[in-house]
Short mmCIF file of all heavy atoms in Angstrom, two decimals:
data_model
loop_
_atom_site.label_atom_id
_atom_site.label_comp_id
_atom_site.label_asym_id
_atom_site.label_seq_id
_atom_site.Cartn_x
_atom_site.Cartn_y
_atom_site.Cartn_z
N SER Z 6 7.92 -1.32 22.21
CA SER Z 6 8.24 -0.52 23.39
C SER Z 6 9.10 0.70 23.05
O SER Z 6 9.10 1.69 23.78
CB SER Z 6 8.97 -1.38 24.44
OG SER Z 6 10.14 -1.95 23.88
N ASP Z 7 9.81 0.65 21.93
CA ASP Z 7 10.70 1.76 21.56
C ASP Z 7 10.02 2.77 20.65
O ASP Z 7 10.10 3.98 20.89
CB ASP Z 7 11.95 1.22 20.88
CG ASP Z 7 12.82 0.38 21.81
OD1 ASP Z 7 12.86 0.70 23.02
OD2 ASP Z 7 13.40 -0.61 21.35
N LEU Z 8 9.36 2.30 19.62
CA LEU Z 8 8.80 3.18 18.60
C LEU Z 8 7.31 3.42 18.79
O LEU Z 8 6.75 4.34 18.19
CB LEU Z 8 9.05 2.60 17.21
CG LEU Z 8 10.53 2.39 16.85
CD1 LEU Z 8 10.65 1.70 15.50
CD2 LEU Z 8 11.28 3.71 16.83
N GLY Z 9 6.65 2.60 19.60
CA GLY Z 9 5.20 2.72 19.75
C GLY Z 9 4.48 2.06 18.58
O GLY Z 9 5.08 1.71 17.56
N GLY Z 10 3.19 1.90 18.71
CA GLY Z 10 2.40 1.30 17.65
C GLY Z 10 2.39 -0.22 17.71
O GLY Z 10 3.14 -0.85 18.45
N PHE Z 11 1.50 -0.80 16.91
CA PHE Z 11 1.36 -2.26 16.85
C PHE Z 11 2.52 -2.84 16.02
O PHE Z 11 2.76 -2.42 14.90
CB PHE Z 11 0.03 -2.63 16.19
CG PHE Z 11 -1.17 -2.15 16.94
CD1 PHE Z 11 -1.85 -1.02 16.52
CD2 PHE Z 11 -1.64 -2.82 18.07
CE1 PHE Z 11 -2.97 -0.57 17.19
CE2 PHE Z 11 -2.75 -2.37 18.75
CZ PHE Z 11 -3.42 -1.24 18.33
N ARG Z 12 3.20 -3.81 16.58
CA ARG Z 12 4.31 -4.46 15.86
C ARG Z 12 3.77 -5.38 14.78
O ARG Z 12 2.97 -6.27 15.06
CB ARG Z 12 5.13 -5.26 16.86
CG ARG Z 12 6.60 -4.87 16.91
CD ARG Z 12 7.28 -5.65 17.99
NE ARG Z 12 8.42 -6.37 17.49
CZ ARG Z 12 9.64 -5.87 17.41
NH1 ARG Z 12 9.86 -4.64 17.83
NH2 ARG Z 12 10.62 -6.58 16.92
N VAL Z 13 4.22 -5.17 13.53
CA VAL Z 13 3.79 -6.01 12.42
C VAL Z 13 5.01 -6.46 11.64
O VAL Z 13 6.11 -5.88 11.77
CB VAL Z 13 2.80 -5.28 11.48
CG1 VAL Z 13 1.54 -4.88 12.22
CG2 VAL Z 13 3.46 -4.03 10.87
N ASN Z 14 4.85 -7.47 10.79
CA ASN Z 14 5.96 -7.94 9.97
C ASN Z 14 6.03 -7.13 8.66
O ASN Z 14 5.34 -6.12 8.51
CB ASN Z 14 5.83 -9.44 9.71
CG ASN Z 14 4.54 -9.80 8.96
OD1 ASN Z 14 3.91 -8.94 8.35
ND2 ASN Z 14 4.17 -11.07 9.00
N ALA Z 15 6.84 -7.59 7.74
CA ALA Z 15 7.02 -6.86 6.48
C ALA Z 15 5.77 -6.86 5.63
O ALA Z 15 5.61 -6.05 4.72
CB ALA Z 15 8.19 -7.45 5.70
N GLU Z 16 4.84 -7.77 5.91
CA GLU Z 16 3.56 -7.82 5.19
C GLU Z 16 2.46 -7.06 5.93
O GLU Z 16 1.29 -7.16 5.58
CB GLU Z 16 3.14 -9.28 4.97
CG GLU Z 16 3.95 -10.04 3.95
CD GLU Z 16 5.33 -10.46 4.52
OE1 GLU Z 16 5.38 -10.78 5.73
OE2 GLU Z 16 6.30 -10.45 3.76
N LEU Z 17 2.85 -6.33 6.99
CA LEU Z 17 1.93 -5.53 7.81
C LEU Z 17 0.97 -6.38 8.64
O LEU Z 17 -0.09 -5.91 9.05
CB LEU Z 17 1.15 -4.52 6.95
CG LEU Z 17 1.98 -3.61 6.05
CD1 LEU Z 17 1.08 -2.69 5.24
CD2 LEU Z 17 2.96 -2.79 6.89
N GLN Z 18 1.33 -7.63 8.88
CA GLN Z 18 0.48 -8.52 9.65
C GLN Z 18 0.93 -8.54 11.10
O GLN Z 18 2.11 -8.77 11.40
CB GLN Z 18 0.53 -9.94 9.08
CG GLN Z 18 -0.48 -10.90 9.69
CD GLN Z 18 -0.52 -12.23 8.97
OE1 GLN Z 18 0.48 -12.66 8.38
NE2 GLN Z 18 -1.65 -12.88 8.99
N ALA Z 19 -0.02 -8.32 12.01
CA ALA Z 19 0.27 -8.32 13.44
C ALA Z 19 0.20 -9.73 14.01
O ALA Z 19 1.05 -10.14 14.81
CB ALA Z 19 -0.71 -7.42 14.18
N ARG Z 20 -0.81 -10.46 13.61
CA ARG Z 20 -0.97 -11.87 13.96
C ARG Z 20 -1.98 -12.45 13.00
O ARG Z 20 -2.46 -11.75 12.11
CB ARG Z 20 -1.38 -12.07 15.43
CG ARG Z 20 -2.59 -11.30 15.88
CD ARG Z 20 -2.84 -11.46 17.36
NE ARG Z 20 -3.11 -12.82 17.76
CZ ARG Z 20 -4.34 -13.32 17.86
NH1 ARG Z 20 -5.38 -12.55 17.64
NH2 ARG Z 20 -4.53 -14.57 18.21
N SER Z 21 -2.33 -13.71 13.17
CA SER Z 21 -3.21 -14.36 12.22
C SER Z 21 -4.51 -13.56 12.01
O SER Z 21 -5.20 -13.23 12.97
CB SER Z 21 -3.55 -15.77 12.72
OG SER Z 21 -4.41 -16.42 11.80
N ASN Z 22 -4.76 -13.21 10.75
CA ASN Z 22 -5.99 -12.51 10.36
C ASN Z 22 -6.11 -11.08 10.87
O ASN Z 22 -7.19 -10.49 10.87
CB ASN Z 22 -7.24 -13.30 10.78
CG ASN Z 22 -7.32 -14.65 10.10
OD1 ASN Z 22 -6.96 -14.77 8.92
ND2 ASN Z 22 -7.74 -15.66 10.82
N ILE Z 23 -5.00 -10.46 11.29
CA ILE Z 23 -5.01 -9.05 11.72
C ILE Z 23 -3.86 -8.33 11.05
O ILE Z 23 -2.70 -8.71 11.17
CB ILE Z 23 -4.90 -8.92 13.25
CG1 ILE Z 23 -6.07 -9.59 13.95
CG2 ILE Z 23 -4.86 -7.43 13.64
CD1 ILE Z 23 -5.99 -9.52 15.47
N TRP Z 24 -4.17 -7.25 10.33
CA TRP Z 24 -3.18 -6.41 9.68
C TRP Z 24 -3.32 -4.98 10.21
O TRP Z 24 -4.41 -4.57 10.60
CB TRP Z 24 -3.38 -6.40 8.16
CG TRP Z 24 -2.96 -7.67 7.48
CD1 TRP Z 24 -1.79 -7.88 6.80
CD2 TRP Z 24 -3.72 -8.89 7.38
NE1 TRP Z 24 -1.77 -9.17 6.31
CE2 TRP Z 24 -2.94 -9.81 6.65
CE3 TRP Z 24 -4.96 -9.29 7.87
CZ2 TRP Z 24 -3.36 -11.10 6.37
CZ3 TRP Z 24 -5.38 -10.57 7.60
CH2 TRP Z 24 -4.59 -11.46 6.86
N VAL Z 25 -2.24 -4.24 10.22
CA VAL Z 25 -2.23 -2.85 10.69
C VAL Z 25 -1.50 -1.99 9.67
O VAL Z 25 -0.43 -2.39 9.20
CB VAL Z 25 -1.56 -2.71 12.07
CG1 VAL Z 25 -1.66 -1.28 12.57
CG2 VAL Z 25 -2.18 -3.67 13.09
N ALA Z 26 -2.04 -0.83 9.35
CA ALA Z 26 -1.41 0.07 8.39
C ALA Z 26 -1.37 1.48 8.96
O ALA Z 26 -1.97 1.78 9.99
CB ALA Z 26 -2.17 0.05 7.06
N GLY Z 27 -0.64 2.37 8.26
CA GLY Z 27 -0.62 3.78 8.65
C GLY Z 27 0.25 4.07 9.85
O GLY Z 27 1.15 3.31 10.19
N ASP Z 28 -0.04 5.19 10.52
CA ASP Z 28 0.77 5.67 11.64
C ASP Z 28 0.85 4.67 12.79
O ASP Z 28 1.81 4.66 13.55
CB ASP Z 28 0.21 6.98 12.19
CG ASP Z 28 0.15 8.08 11.14
OD1 ASP Z 28 0.68 7.86 10.04
OD2 ASP Z 28 -0.42 9.14 11.43
N ALA Z 29 -0.18 3.82 12.94
CA ALA Z 29 -0.23 2.91 14.08
C ALA Z 29 0.62 1.67 13.88
O ALA Z 29 0.82 0.90 14.82
CB ALA Z 29 -1.68 2.48 14.33
N ALA Z 30 1.15 1.46 12.68
CA ALA Z 30 1.91 0.25 12.39
C ALA Z 30 3.40 0.46 12.63
O ALA Z 30 4.02 1.38 12.07
CB ALA Z 30 1.69 -0.16 10.93
N CYS Z 31 4.00 -0.37 13.47
CA CYS Z 31 5.45 -0.42 13.63
C CYS Z 31 5.92 -1.59 12.79
O CYS Z 31 5.86 -2.75 13.22
CB CYS Z 31 5.82 -0.57 15.10
SG CYS Z 31 7.60 -0.55 15.38
N PHE Z 32 6.33 -1.33 11.57
CA PHE Z 32 6.55 -2.37 10.59
C PHE Z 32 8.04 -2.68 10.40
O PHE Z 32 8.91 -1.91 10.80
CB PHE Z 32 5.93 -1.97 9.24
CG PHE Z 32 6.57 -0.74 8.62
CD1 PHE Z 32 7.53 -0.87 7.61
CD2 PHE Z 32 6.21 0.53 9.02
CE1 PHE Z 32 8.11 0.24 7.02
CE2 PHE Z 32 6.79 1.67 8.44
CZ PHE Z 32 7.74 1.51 7.45
N TYR Z 33 8.29 -3.82 9.79
CA TYR Z 33 9.67 -4.20 9.49
C TYR Z 33 9.99 -3.79 8.06
O TYR Z 33 9.44 -4.32 7.10
CB TYR Z 33 9.91 -5.71 9.66
CG TYR Z 33 11.35 -6.08 9.41
CD1 TYR Z 33 12.32 -5.77 10.33
CD2 TYR Z 33 11.73 -6.70 8.22
CE1 TYR Z 33 13.66 -6.07 10.10
CE2 TYR Z 33 13.06 -7.01 7.97
CZ TYR Z 33 14.01 -6.69 8.93
OH TYR Z 33 15.33 -6.97 8.68
N ASP Z 34 10.88 -2.81 7.93
CA ASP Z 34 11.34 -2.33 6.62
C ASP Z 34 12.47 -3.26 6.16
O ASP Z 34 13.49 -3.41 6.83
CB ASP Z 34 11.85 -0.89 6.77
CG ASP Z 34 12.21 -0.24 5.43
OD1 ASP Z 34 12.88 -0.90 4.61
OD2 ASP Z 34 11.84 0.93 5.23
N LEU Z 35 12.29 -3.88 5.00
CA LEU Z 35 13.25 -4.86 4.51
C LEU Z 35 14.64 -4.28 4.28
O LEU Z 35 15.63 -5.01 4.28
CB LEU Z 35 12.73 -5.49 3.22
CG LEU Z 35 11.45 -6.34 3.37
CD1 LEU Z 35 10.91 -6.74 2.02
CD2 LEU Z 35 11.69 -7.56 4.23
N LYS Z 36 14.72 -2.98 4.09
CA LYS Z 36 16.01 -2.32 3.85
C LYS Z 36 16.54 -1.60 5.08
O LYS Z 36 17.75 -1.59 5.33
CB LYS Z 36 15.89 -1.32 2.69
CG LYS Z 36 15.95 -1.96 1.32
CD LYS Z 36 17.35 -2.55 1.08
CE LYS Z 36 17.43 -3.21 -0.29
NZ LYS Z 36 18.75 -3.84 -0.50
#
């Protein structure tokens, strides 16, 4: 809701068997 894009974890996984990359990915940066 804040940054836009599909929320994914640090492995770029949105949910089981779905990954998102690039501009559309709201990912968790480990740092």
